[in-house]
Amino acid sequence: MKGTSKIVFANQLRGVAALLVVLSHLCCVFWGGKATVAAYTGALPAEGDQPWFSAYINGEYWNSGVLGVAIFFTISGFVIPMSLHHTDRLKFIAARCFRIYPTYIAGLCLALAVVWLSCQYWGKPFMWDFGTVLRNMLLIHTLTGTPSVDLVNWTLAIELKFYLLAALGAPLILAGRVWPLIAVSAVVYAVNRYAHTALGTELMFVTFMFIGVLFNYLFNGLISVARFYLALLVILGLFIAGWGATPWPDIFWIVAPSYVYGMLIFGAAYFARNHFRRFRPLDFLADISYPLYIVHSLVGYSVMRVLFDHGLKLRFVAPITAATVIGVALIIHLLVERPSIAIGKTFKKSSRVPTPAAPTSETRPAA
């Protein structure tokens, strides 16, 4: 297994992805989805139109929020096989649960506390019952037909399913096998053609994460460049072709291209990975990207709406909101995320798992 010195690019892309999602939600969705924002914060719908710069964040054929999620998914596909090298399947799942759940639960509780305060401010009742919140905390809401309480945890539910598939197929992934990735992608596509289910839609996004796995294979010299590109085109083609089976076929030309852009951005960074260096602003955003992703929507929407209600202009609302969501994310990162990551690392095997053989002249990547 190659060292991590050359994957600075993947870590910094987390910061970029988080920034894209935050910009999309707070600069575009806040105005473009006024009814939804009001329903999730207990506030009155915001007044006024989107600021002029929103057109550069979300456009007719791209969406920065979707782009950020696509980058997140590709990064996960790339780095998760590295975790499989250091532990067995059960310990891998346990480590990933410690990575996901403590930070998510803390972030969700804090975000919902802010929403409760927002409801008190606007004189509205809190909108969620305990059962709904609990199913969201456990990230089983998509399987039980429960609405999301924070508008972002649908991606975490997909991540968990990817972890489960990665654990089940660990020997094949560690061996750099391509056919299982294509076979699963084809089965998911076929099933979705005849049965439009929430699980099928989630698994379709899991197959997009397989593209990151292919990059991992290439990084470790487990496949040739030609096989990499061929498999990538097949998996990406099945993902795009399957979009019509999702609940959102009418927004194909906004969402599907953004996933392609996300893959291309990751690919460009991958092939330029030797030129990446530590950069504090991006490294900081990468460090807090997970809690920032969790809290930015509910906390950001609630704070923005109250500030606008007090007559503040956007030039003041924007920095105050940014400082608030970043500060909250930093607190969760320091008090919850870092300790839970440390606990997760204890599940690694004490003895090192043998790494794949050195790449031959036929499989060594060109880049």
Side-chain angles (χ1 to χ4, degrees):
M1 190 70 177
K2 295 186 179 181
T4 59
S5 60
K6 292 186 179 180
I7 58 173
V8 173
F9 83 95
N11 187 55
Q12 291 183 347
L13 278 180
R14 293 184 196 275
V16 173
L19 182 60
L20 289 170
V21 173
V22 171
L23 287 174
S24 176
H25 288 169
L26 300 187
C27 296
C28 298
V29 175
F30 179 80
W31 282 277
K34 294 176 183 179
T36 299
V37 171
Y40 276 78
T41 59
L44 297 177
E47 299 176 355
D49 299 322
Q50 288 187 352
W52 61 270
F53 54 80
S54 297
Y56 297 95
I57 297 173
N58 289 346
E60 187 177 359
Y61 299 110
W62 77 89
N63 182 289
S64 293
V66 177
L67 178 59
V69 169
I71 294 173
F72 273 132
F73 280 165
T74 313
I75 293 170
S76 290
F78 179 69
V79 301
I80 287 303
M82 300 176 186
S83 298
L84 290 171
H85 276 271
H86 301 291
T87 187
D88 59 40
R89 292 170 177 173
L90 291 179
K91 290 182 178 179
F92 166 78
I93 292 296
R96 298 319 299 174
C97 284
F98 270 98
R99 180 70 182 94
I100 291 293
Y101 279 108
T103 301
Y104 178 66
I105 292 172
L108 180 62
C109 288
L110 200 154
L112 290 179
V114 171
V115 170
W116 183 85
L117 291 173
S118 175
C119 290
Q120 297 302 302
Y121 177 86
W122 296 99
K124 299 288 187 67
F126 187 68
M127 63 288 295
W128 306 117
D129 59 67
F130 176 77
T132 297
V133 173
L134 180 61
R135 287 188 287 274
N136 274 263
M137 280 187 178
L138 297 176
L139 296 172
I140 60 172
H141 56 293
T142 57
L143 298 178
T144 59
T146 305
S148 170
V149 299
D150 63 9
L151 301 170
V152 297
N153 59 1
W154 64 277
T155 63
L156 303 182
I158 291 170
E159 286 273 353
L160 290 177
K161 293 171 180 62
F162 173 65
Y163 299 157
L164 181 59
L165 283 179
L168 292 174
L172 298 172
I173 291 176
L174 294 177
R177 298 291 185 260
V178 172
W179 67 263
L181 306 182
I182 295 178
V184 171
S185 299
V187 169
V188 169
Y189 169 78
V191 170
N192 282 338
R193 290 281 294 179
Y194 299 101
H196 297 187
T197 64
L199 179 60
T201 299
E202 289 184 300
L203 292 177
M204 189 191 79
F205 286 105
V206 168
T207 65
F208 181 83
M209 300 170 79
F210 290 166
I211 293 173
V213 177
L214 291 176
F215 275 103
N216 179 279
Y217 290 175
L218 188 65
F219 179 72
N220 287 294
L222 299 175
I223 57 174
S224 67
V225 174
R227 289 187 67 200
F228 164 78
Y229 281 116
L230 179 61
L232 184 150
L233 290 175
V234 172
I235 292 174
L236 180 63
L238 288 170
F239 171 77
I240 293 176
W243 191 263
T246 71
W248 323 283
D250 53 325
I251 58 172
F252 174 88
W253 290 110
I254 297 176
V255 178
S258 295
Y259 275 89
V260 176
Y261 303 152
M263 180 201 69
L264 292 175
I265 289 172
F266 181 91
Y270 170 84
F271 288 111
R273 63 191 181 278
N274 292 332
H275 301 285
F276 279 74
R277 299 293 182 268
R278 296 293 180 184
F279 181 56
R280 285 190 176 183
L282 271 184
D283 293 335
F284 173 74
L285 277 178
D287 288 341
I288 68 168
S289 60
Y290 180 36
L292 179 62
Y293 179 79
I294 296 169
V295 304
H296 78 275
S297 59
L298 294 184
V299 174
Y301 294 151
S302 299
V303 170
M304 289 177 69
R305 189 64 189 91
V306 170
L307 292 177
F308 280 126
D309 188 57
H310 281 276
L312 273 69
K313 301 297 184 183
L314 181 60
R315 61 180 177 273
F316 298 110
V317 172
I320 293 173
T321 303
T324 301
V325 296
I326 290 174
V328 170
L330 178 59
I331 291 171
I332 296 174
H333 170 68
L334 294 175
L335 299 184
V336 181
E337 185 179 26
R338 285 174 61 175
S340 61
I341 290 175
I343 294 173
K345 288 181 178 179
T346 64
F347 289 95
K348 288 184 178 181
K349 287 183 178 178
S350 57
S351 59
R352 185 176 178 181
V353 178
T355 57
T360 66
S361 59
E362 295 180 352
T363 61
R364 187 176 295 113

